[in-house]
Structures are given as structure tokens and as C-alpha cells.
Amino acid sequence: MDTYEPHLYERSAPGKHGTNLPRLDVPESDLPAELLRQDDLNDFPELTEPEVIRHYTRISQRNASPDTTFYPLGSCTMKASPRLHEEVARYAGFAAAHPLQGDALSQGALRLMVELQDFLGEISGFAAVSLQPAAGAHGEFAGILAFRAYHLDRGDHERVEVLVPDAAHGTNPATAAMSGLKVVGVQSDARGNVDLDDLRRKVSPRTAGMMLTNPNTLGLFEEQILTICDIVHAAGGLMYGDGANFNAILGVAKPGELGFDFMHYNLHKTFATPHGGGGPGAGAVGCTTALAPFLPGPCARRTATGTYELFTPAKSIGRLKVFHGNFGMLVRAWTYIMSLGEVGLREVSETAVLNANYVRVQLQDLYPQAVERICMHETVLKGQINGAKGVRTLDIAKRLIDYGFHPPTIYFPLLVPEALMIEPTETEGKNVLDSFIAALRAIAAEAVATPELLHAAPTTAPVRRLDEVRAARQPILRYAAAAFAKLREDAK
Ligand SMILES: *Cc1c(COP(=O)(O)O)cnc(C)c1O
């Protein structure tokens, strides 16, 4: 049975309260009658302070997070967020700065933005960086709008297509469509690379550009990346790099040198700023000199006299976010880069890649690898266990919860049947990886001998299998007594 957590409204009782206001020390004033509330405030629950604290603390403890458990959610890079970053982000000069206080009073914050732009440009091999976008998908949108603006600026009006490989993250085709362009799919080949023959068939004078993730969503380095960039460039198109998998190549390869023209950085993935639950992210973007005038603005820069200021690039696609982007995330990413340095960043990627390959090698006899190759920072296996009847990847993922692990990403990328996408990140040591491997090996044995255990999973979590479709289509976002009474009944 699922444990039903009563809503605060259900704990409410008339007369209870959790506030203690000081005695009025100013004269009472007469408010105009039309400003006085006419109806009762009975829309608010009445509760004591401890009840409210316990309620929120208890439900917060139901969260799985990298602070509580191994979280190998492929493509999401759920690395630990060092507490040092939180301390720096809370410095009053950053946290209490007002976005309208002007450049002269914001020199420290602007300097941090300039330095972060410089760091990101250096790490990726790009000439210019904007910190505006709030997420990876937002950065993609900036990039494709910049591609469009670039072509139109040159009087090239025919480029209305964006090439997107079949392994791509869903945000890539969504971005192209939202930008008013047409998505043209490109197949992968048997080694998990872009199929060059298919690419040559699809590229044309209508190609605005190609969106590519490298390493791709199979966790594999695109072996023909130089040729791909050449083919697209020769046709007059531009290369967009989806930088979600940048954690694999820090200090090893620079996308700008591989031939990409524009790329987003998921600061909340690669650069350890916290993410999840729809919280604030940061999807900075970098690009070549040719595309720099089109970047979203404002960006920050150093002046000739050594001060710092905001400016909007000459042909900017415009503003994507109020004020300075999600500034607190920029502080955390800057701190991450400053504390690790050049050598540390390279070690991050080397360890992330080593960890993923360790897991891959220890599991691939039971869980076949989607494409048999050395992987980068994540590995895509298949939940197709020999001799297990009626067991799906979903069952394996749910059973992992009973073993105390957050499940990997499942059923992505779409081209892999029963995909199980594991990204351990560099955060974990061998002991954690070994216990995760042992759990997945035990689950494989259960899948053959006692599949009912997998079908019943999870049994240890506060809730069992959720109706994800109903949750998405008919969400209950406000308290409604009848709806909650029904939920409570259903949970019995
Ligand atoms: C996470 C991710 C994105 C989107 O990034 P958001 O920050 O979630 O918007 C795009 N592509 C890939 C491959 C990703 O893993």
C-alpha cells in the first residue's frame, strides 16, 4: 500500500495558528472600505508551526537526490554539488546585489561574468560566450535562432532545414521546430555514429545547420566528427553542438576545434550547479567569431580602462532572460572551475569515463551493450536479460529502487530497444560502483528465477508505480478536497 501523506489542509483545524505577531507599535489607521477584504480567509489552512515544519521536512525526505543516493541518471550528469559553491553563492555581494543597481555598482558581479565567459570559451575553443540562457534547451533555441539570423544577414533565405540525428535528445527537434525550421532526420550507422551516406543524401542548399551531440546519446564519441563538420560546412550549413555530454571531454577535446560553430553548456550538468525538479539551471552558449554578433545579450566585457560593463552584441537575436541570466548558477559554475583548475577539470572527465567503462565491463555479460564499443562518460545497455520472460527495463529500473539506488535513464535514446542509460559521473568511488553492479547482477538473477519480485517493485518506496500519464494529463496542482479524498481512497 502506498503511504498517503495528508495534505496540510487535512491537518487544519479552526483556531490553530503558528504565528505570533508583536504588539502594534504604530497608530492604527483607517483603511478605505473598498480595500478591506469582504470574504472570509477560510481558503487557508490553520496549523501550528511544528505541523508545517514536520510536513515539509517529511516530504523533503522522500526525495531521491545525489545528496542521499547514487544517481546514475544517464545524460543528466547528476554529479555532487560541492557545498563550497553554496557558500560562495551566498556571499552578500552576489546574493544581495540588485539587478538594477547599474554597472558601476556591480563590478564584482560583472567581473565574475567576464571570467566565466572566458573560462567557458577557453575550455570549449570558442571565441565568444553569452550567459543568458536558463537551460540547455534554451541555449539550443539561442543557437538555432542565431543560425537563422546569420543566414538571413547574408541574404541567404533558402535555409529552412535542420539536420537532427535519430539518436538526438528530444529538445533538439523541438528547438528546430520552435525556431520555425523544418527537422530532417539523419540515421545512425551500426557503430553508433552518424551514417555518412544518409547525411550526404540529406544535406542541401536548404540546410541551415546540423545539431549534434558529441559524445552522442549512446555514450559514444562520434568517430567521424571532422568529416561530418566538413560535409555540413561545404553545403553552407552550420554545426550546433549539444553540450549536454561535455563532461566526457573537458580538457581533452574542444568542440570549437572539432568544427562546431555554436554550442550550449549545461552548467547544471557539467559544472556541478544543482538541478532537478525544474529548478533554475543555466545554459550558457559559446560560438565562433563569425556568429558572435548574433549572441543573445547582454553579455559582459572588460573595458579599455579595466572596468567591466554589459553590452549587447551588434546583431543580437535579443534578450532571452531577464537581467543577467540565472546569476546564482553562474557563481557556482565559476567556483567549480576556479577550484578545480585545468588539471582538475581534465581529471573530472577521465574519472567519469573510467567509471562508466568500469560499470559497462562488469555488466555487459548480463545486460547487452547497445553498441559494443568503449564508451565515454555513460553507457547504454539493454534490459534484455537472457531467460527472463516478461521482464522489461521498466521493471529492472523499479527494482533498483528497492536496492536503494536511483534508476538510470530508461527508454532513451529512442533508437535502442529497452535502453538502460547509465551515467555514474566522477563523483562515485569504486565501492559505490561495485554495490550498484552487484545490485544489477542480483536483479538479473531475480529476473529469471523470481520475475514477480521485479513486477511488484518498488516495495520499499513511499509510493509504488505511479500513473505517469495521468499525472501529466490531469495534474492536481491546487488543493481540492474531493480530489484529495479520492486520492486517499485510491491509496488504501
Ligand atoms: C539535458 C539534455 C538537454 C537539455 O538540457 P536542459 O538543460 O535540460 O534543457 C539536451 N540534450 C541532451 C543530450 C541532454 O542530456
Side-chain angles (χ1 to χ4, degrees):
M1 191 189 96
D2 291 353
T3 40
Y4 179 79
E5 179 74 23
H7 195 279
L8 278 180
Y9 281 89
E10 295 169 85
R11 300 183 195 276
S12 171
K16 285 199 283 190
H17 61 93
T19 51
N20 207 353
L21 295 177
R23 193 170 308 180
L24 196 64
D25 61 355
V26 291
E28 229 174 283
S29 80
D30 286 327
L31 282 176
E34 69 269 22
L35 291 183
L36 290 178
R37 175 179 283 280
Q38 304 301 326
D39 46 344
D40 236 359
L41 260 187
N42 53 16
D43 280 352
F44 284 100
E46 296 177 66
L47 296 147
T48 64
E49 185 178 85
E51 281 179 310
V52 176
I53 289 175
R54 283 187 193 147
H55 176 78
Y56 285 111
T57 305
R58 219 169 21 236
I59 56 178
S60 79
Q61 287 167 344
R62 290 178 160 202
N63 274 335
S65 80
D67 286 351
T68 54
T69 179
F70 180 44
Y71 207 124
L73 192 65
S75 212
C76 294
T77 316
M78 303 301 290
K79 60 172 70 180
S81 299
R83 290 316 186 256
L84 172 69
H85 304 183
E86 300 306 315
E87 189 180 334
V88 177
R90 281 166 179 71
Y91 286 169
F94 293 136
H98 194 282
L100 291 178
Q101 72 193 23
D103 290 1
L105 293 175
S106 308
Q107 288 296 296
L110 293 178
R111 177 177 165 187
L112 180 135
M113 290 176 71
V114 168
E115 290 183 4
L116 182 59
Q117 288 170 191
D118 288 350
F119 291 156
L120 293 175
E122 170 66 26
I123 296 167
S124 57
F126 284 117
V129 170
S130 168
L131 304 173
Q132 273 262 308
H138 211 194
E140 292 173 29
F141 188 52
I144 299 305
L145 288 186
F147 282 13
R148 249 186 57 170
Y150 170 86
H151 292 308
L152 292 177
D153 188 58
R154 298 168 71 241
D156 193 344
H157 296 269
E158 304 303 314
R159 299 191 180 270
V160 291
E161 292 178 356
V162 179
L163 305 174
V164 180
D166 55 7
H169 193 263
T171 50
N172 292 185
T175 291
M178 270 194 68
S179 308
L181 303 179
K182 190 167 160 259
V183 179
V184 176
V186 181
Q187 283 162 21
S188 301
D189 67 15
R191 270 186 73 72
N193 294 316
V194 167
D195 182 332
L196 290 186
D197 292 332
D198 197 41
L199 175 61
R200 286 195 185 94
R201 273 194 294 277
K202 305 280 172 67
V203 76
S204 80
R206 290 184 306 283
T207 304
M210 178 172 193
M211 301 182 82
L212 191 69
T213 316
N214 188 24
N216 63 25
T217 59
L218 290 160
L220 304 174
F221 192 82
E222 180 62 63
E223 293 166 307
Q224 310 167 113
I225 182 61
L226 301 177
T227 312
I228 293 170
C229 291
D230 283 349
I231 293 172
V232 172
H233 285 151
L238 297 164
M239 286 299 296
Y240 183 89
D242 177 333
N245 290 344
F246 201 30
N247 209 44
I249 56 171
L250 296 171
V252 180
K254 297 186 180 190
E257 291 176 1
L258 295 176
F260 286 99
D261 298 287
F262 202 110
M263 154 183 160
H264 74 254
Y265 316 78
N266 302 68
L267 300 189
H268 46 284
K269 294 179 181 174
T270 314
F271 297 94
T273 77
H275 67 307
V285 288
C287 67
T288 58
T289 311
L291 284 163
F294 301 93
L295 278 175
C299 303
R301 70 180 168 203
R302 219 173 262 109
T303 67
T305 58
T307 59
Y308 302 90
E309 66 181 10
L310 292 174
F311 76 102
T312 299
K315 299 173 180 175
S316 176
I317 57 162
R319 182 185 268 289
L320 288 179
K321 188 84 180 79
V322 290
F323 303 122
H324 310 80
N326 277 332
F327 184 74
M329 295 300 141
L330 309 182
V331 177
R332 290 172 174 88
W334 178 92
T335 309
Y336 186 67
I337 294 169
M338 283 296 277
S339 55
L340 285 173
E342 192 180 335
V343 174
L345 286 177
R346 189 185 169 108
E347 280 175 7
V348 161
S349 288
E350 288 172 348
T351 310
V353 171
L354 180 65
N355 279 357
N357 278 289
Y358 182 69
V359 171
R360 173 182 68 84
V361 169
Q362 299 286 332
L363 287 175
Q364 63 186 4
D365 58 326
L366 297 176
Y367 298 88
Q369 199 187 351
V371 179
E372 282 185 33
R373 270 175 62 182
I374 290 180
C375 66
M376 298 296 288
H377 67 309
E378 63 193 358
T379 183
V380 179
L381 308 178
K382 292 190 273 191
Q384 295 170 332
I385 298 159
N386 237 333
K389 284 201 198 70
V391 167
R392 302 196 59 205
T393 287
L394 179 70
D395 305 313
I396 297 163
K398 296 296 182 192
R399 185 66 178 148
L400 265 172
I401 298 173
D402 285 341
Y403 279 83
F405 296 105
H406 190 288
T409 294
I410 56 176
Y411 301 108
F412 175 72
L414 301 178
L415 74 164
V416 178
E418 298 299 317
L420 196 62
M421 182 194 230
I422 303 169
E423 181 181 6
T425 80
E426 71 284 2
T427 295
E428 306 303 333
K430 185 169 175 296
N431 52 345
V432 171
L433 299 183
D434 282 337
S435 47
F436 176 71
I437 289 160
L440 270 175
R441 297 194 70 87
I443 291 169
E446 288 174 353
V448 176
T450 48
E452 62 279 6
L453 283 179
L454 277 70
H455 291 132
T459 55
T460 57
V463 290
R464 304 287 289 276
R465 296 203 186 187
L466 301 172
D467 185 343
E468 291 166 21
V469 175
R470 197 171 140 214
R473 299 227 169 118
Q474 303 162 3
I476 305 174
L477 301 177
R478 300 180 57 187
Y479 177 73
F484 274 74
K486 175 145 177 27
L487 283 182
R488 194 169 51 242
E489 267 317 300
D490 291 352
K492 278 196 183 135

